Amino acid sequence: MNSSDSLILDAKQAILEEQHRRFQALQREGRWAEARQQFQTTMSCAADLLNDSLKLLERVIETQHRHSQNLPPSEPPI
């Protein structure tokens, strides 16, 4: 994981938080039709963030797996 990965995830998290805030505001105001549409947008943002997080995690695991295969075998205990 590098700094650009972290920045992208942070930006997507901020977008999700803003969408959720909008949903809650519409809900408090009793604007149910708009809140329902906003809920769908919020869930789409959440899914996007989760998918990107999962892809990043899979990439990190793959990188660690490749690095572990390049290490010399550990010596057995004496």
Side-chain angles (χ1 to χ4, degrees):
M1 183 167 148
N2 57 42
S3 60
S4 65
D5 293 326
S6 182
L7 286 173
I8 289 170
L9 291 180
D10 287 347
K12 289 188 179 206
Q13 177 68 37
I15 291 168
L16 172 59
E17 289 170 2
E18 176 60 20
Q19 296 301 321
H20 185 242
R21 186 198 62 73
R22 289 179 187 175
F23 165 71
Q24 289 177 318
L26 290 168
Q27 194 177 31
R28 276 192 304 274
E29 295 169 8
R31 297 164 59 185
W32 303 111
E34 293 169 81
R36 186 174 58 247
Q37 291 174 339
Q38 184 60 47
F39 180 76
Q40 291 172 350
T41 301
T42 302
M43 290 294 100
S44 177
C45 289
D48 188 43
L49 176 59
L50 287 172
N51 284 330
D52 282 357
S53 297
L54 181 59
K55 287 176 189 174
L56 177 60
L57 181 58
E58 288 172 340
R59 206 171 74 220
V60 167
I61 290 170
E62 177 61 29
T63 299
Q64 287 181 343
H65 182 71
R66 278 186 278 141
H67 286 309
S68 69
Q69 289 178 341
N70 291 334
L71 295 176
S74 59
E75 294 183 23
I78 299 177

